[in-house]
Amino acid sequence: MTGNLKKTQKDILVKLNIDELNKMQKEATSVIDSTNNTIVLSPTGTGKTISFLLPVLKMIDVNKKEVQVLILVPSRELAIQIEQVVREMGAGVKVNAVYGGRAMAKDKEDLKHMPSILIGTPGRISDHFMNNRFNKSYLKALVLDEFDKSLEVGFESEMKDIIREIPTSIKKVLTSATQEIEIPEFVGLKDPIILNYLTGKINERLVLKQVLWSFNNKEKKLVELLQHIGNDCQGIIFVNLRDSIEKVSNFLTKKSISHSCFSGGMEQRDRERSLIKFRNGTSRILLATDLAARGIDIPEIKYIIHYELPFRIEEFTHRNGRTARVNKEGTAYVFKSEVKELPEFIKGISNADISQKRITLESDWETIFISGGRKDKISKGDIAGLLFKKGNLKRDEVGIIELKQDCAFVAVPVKEAKKLVSKLNNIKLKNRKIRVYII
């Protein structure tokens, strides 16, 4: 990597624990580097974020305290995810994410100290544009990630306003995991180079299985399937409606099946905490609408369940894209009513044998909240040290630590969680009194 960044591309890949870029990433980084207008079409989970971040990072002048790269995304979760990836790269570049549901006061505070990379949803970025909260003339690159969602009718007005105000000479990169979309003229994408890695071939690592249900036993069949799968792997149960989340969640709770929920009807804080608990293994099951089909940061999962069938092939494809990613295998279970045929787009499916039961679905982990983060100069090592020394935990009893700007979340054994809260709440860490509680 050239320019005045602190890290080379090799340094960044080492930091991200990536041995080598895949074929798509190699081609995309090269083309984006040398071209003004690029479209990258590639399946979910193939690393599109890295493919556009590496070349746009090279454009940044770290001596200029201005926004130089603007990344527009359709969801808050995707904004947060990309911000996290930039931080993990350790390139010494200031980055902030802004989105609806986040306090405007936080945005204004962040923009007092201009980030080089600004990530945001169309509505929130449009607001900052209208109020001239930063100078647009320094922009060098515009990325529309998951552009098929960002360019939908609901965002069209904000997108027009944003693109109208940015320099015409700016580098533009559009990415998506979906092919069927017409790019509006107002985007100003002239003679783009299109990298299409959506081959149309069925993912040979994905196994499709159907679970037959009859009148009044659908929920019972879901429990039988989950008991068959067991607790050794994580998965997502997809439904179509927010109301379905509540209904299915109540049933799972009655059956003592640990899970987290994720939908657009939840408060942003609750959605983020659901994902944190899913990432760290406190929840082995995520019950979600199609909001979780893409654009969120979750680990590799072994299975997904279409508890309610999607209406279109696009949703079916994106849901399935959450498993059998890169070089790993996965299973998609489809719930089929005995009195209805499956949609035509669901092919190559066989019956699932769920007669064999494995283990119970209780979690061995709990997640604790700690009221201190990066801005308090607290590191993951500081938190681990606190849990070892003051909490008396062994090394294998400290799970995944997620460090945020103003707080942290840690997975700890269920049997130790309450004792830890009692020991550590109101204790000092880095000369700062912290609050500790179970979420």
Side-chain angles (χ1 to χ4, degrees):
M1 187 167 287
T2 58
N4 51 14
L5 291 180
K6 296 177 181 177
K7 302 285 185 180
T8 66
Q9 178 170 306
K10 185 178 178 182
D11 292 333
I12 289 173
L13 294 181
V14 167
K15 187 93 174 172
L16 295 173
N17 294 316
I18 296 174
D19 295 327
E20 186 180 10
L21 296 177
N22 61 38
K23 183 181 177 183
M24 179 278 293
Q25 290 172 324
K26 286 177 181 176
E27 185 177 12
T29 53
S30 174
V31 171
I32 293 169
D33 203 24
S34 58
T35 309
N36 265 351
N37 296 292
T38 311
I39 299 174
V40 181
L41 304 173
S42 190
T44 301
T46 51
K48 291 188 293 294
T49 302
I50 301 296
S51 75
F52 67 73
L53 282 178
L54 287 172
V56 299
L57 274 172
K58 293 164 69 173
M59 303 177 69
I60 291 171
D61 182 348
V62 293
N63 297 312
K64 279 195 174 72
K65 306 302 179 186
E66 302 287 350
V67 178
Q68 296 167 62
V69 174
L70 179 63
I71 302 174
L72 290 172
V73 296
S75 70
R76 298 174 253 192
E77 284 73 26
L78 186 52
I80 293 166
Q81 178 184 335
I82 296 172
E83 179 188 34
Q84 187 65 26
V85 173
V86 176
R87 293 189 191 282
E88 288 172 357
M89 284 177 151
V93 170
K94 186 168 172 23
V95 58
N96 284 117
V98 296
Y99 41 84
R102 184 180 192 254
M104 184 61 78
K106 283 188 174 182
D107 284 11
K108 291 177 180 177
E109 186 63 32
D110 286 340
L111 292 175
K112 283 180 183 176
H113 312 281
M114 287 296 171
S116 297
I117 299 176
L118 183 63
I119 309 158
T121 49
R124 185 54 66 97
I125 293 291
S126 179
D127 187 288
H128 292 315
F129 267 43
M130 284 191 298
N131 289 282
N132 294 310
R133 294 198 179 102
F134 64 91
N135 189 338
K136 279 84 87 177
S137 64
Y138 288 91
L139 284 170
K140 298 176 181 178
L142 171 69
V143 178
L144 307 186
D145 196 18
E146 302 285 10
F147 72 82
D148 54 308
K149 285 288 184 185
S150 297
L151 295 174
E152 282 184 343
V153 177
F155 289 132
E156 188 173 8
S157 176
E158 289 93 343
M159 294 293 287
K160 278 183 177 177
D161 292 341
I162 292 166
I163 291 174
R164 190 186 299 124
E165 291 199 40
I166 63 176
T168 55
S169 60
I170 198 168
K171 184 188 288 287
K172 292 182 180 129
V173 182
L174 278 64
T175 79
S176 179
T178 300
Q179 194 168 348
E180 303 300 323
I181 181 169
E182 186 176 338
I183 298 169
E185 195 173 319
F186 69 77
V187 177
L189 207 67
K190 296 179 181 178
D191 302 319
I193 290 183
I194 302 172
L195 306 180
N196 190 349
Y197 282 80
L198 301 173
T199 61
K201 295 178 182 176
I202 296 172
N203 185 347
E204 294 178 355
R205 294 181 301 276
L206 177 69
V207 178
L208 288 177
K209 297 280 187 181
Q210 66 181 8
V211 177
L212 298 175
W213 63 276
S214 55
F215 178 73
N216 232 13
N217 79 341
K218 190 176 185 181
E219 291 173 331
K220 178 174 176 286
K221 283 290 181 183
L222 177 60
V223 172
E224 287 179 13
L225 173 60
L226 294 173
Q227 289 173 336
H228 165 74
I229 293 169
N231 224 12
D232 292 337
C233 54
Q234 290 179 282
I236 302 177
I237 303 170
F238 280 107
V239 296
N240 294 330
L241 305 171
R242 296 174 185 176
D243 290 348
S244 302
I245 294 275
E246 184 176 357
K247 182 183 175 186
V248 178
S249 179
N250 287 340
F251 186 81
L252 293 178
T253 300
K254 285 178 187 175
K255 296 296 181 180
S256 301
I257 296 175
S258 177
H259 65 283
S260 289
C261 298
F262 186 83
S263 78
M266 296 167 60
E267 292 291 331
Q268 176 64 19
R269 188 188 81 155
D270 295 332
R271 277 158 56 175
E272 286 183 27
R273 291 189 175 189
S274 285
L275 293 182
I276 287 167
K277 291 170 78 172
F278 189 63
R279 283 195 290 264
N280 69 23
T282 296
S283 299
R284 307 297 287 170
I285 298 165
L286 188 67
L287 174 60
T289 59
D290 283 316
L291 188 64
R294 53 182 171 156
I296 61 170
D297 181 21
I298 56 174
E300 174 68 32
I301 59 175
K302 288 294 291 180
Y303 70 93
I304 63 110
I305 298 171
H306 299 277
Y307 185 71
E308 293 180 340
L309 292 179
F311 302 115
R312 302 184 304 166
I313 189 172
E314 286 82 7
E315 282 86 7
F316 187 66
T317 301
H318 287 305
R319 289 179 180 186
N320 291 341
R322 277 295 164 196
T323 189
R325 300 169 75 170
V326 193
N327 297 315
K328 297 183 180 177
E329 296 180 347
T331 305
Y333 294 96
V334 176
F335 269 64
K336 181 191 177 300
S337 165
E338 290 183 346
V339 297
K340 284 186 180 180
E341 294 299 315
L342 290 175
E344 288 186 4
F345 58 76
I346 301 180
K347 299 173 182 175
I349 195 165
S350 59
N351 288 331
D353 178 4
I354 60 174
S355 57
Q356 181 185 354
K357 299 295 181 288
R358 290 188 171 86
I359 57 175
T360 58
L361 294 157
E362 295 177 355
S363 177
D364 296 325
W365 295 91
E366 196 74 87
T367 299
I368 59 171
F369 167 91
I370 297 175
S371 66
R374 289 193 193 92
K375 69 178 180 58
D376 306 301
K377 309 298 183 188
I378 291 172
S379 68
K380 289 184 180 181
D382 294 326
I383 292 169
L386 177 72
L387 295 171
F388 294 147
K389 293 172 186 174
K390 302 290 185 180
N392 298 319
L393 292 188
K394 299 171 185 173
R395 291 199 173 271
D396 62 357
E397 292 179 319
V398 177
I400 293 172
I401 300 172
E402 282 208 28
L403 186 64
K404 307 291 185 183
Q405 283 295 97
D406 55 1
C407 63
F409 300 88
V410 190
V412 298
V414 169
K415 66 182 190 302
E416 300 292 340
K418 288 183 180 178
K419 288 186 281 184
L420 282 171
V421 170
S422 178
K423 288 177 185 175
L424 302 180
N425 192 35
N426 291 321
I427 204 169
K428 281 193 174 182
L429 179 61
K430 283 287 183 80
N431 296 317
R432 182 184 187 279
K433 187 180 284 190
I434 57 169
R435 288 181 298 117
V436 180
Y437 58 81
I438 297 168
I439 66 166

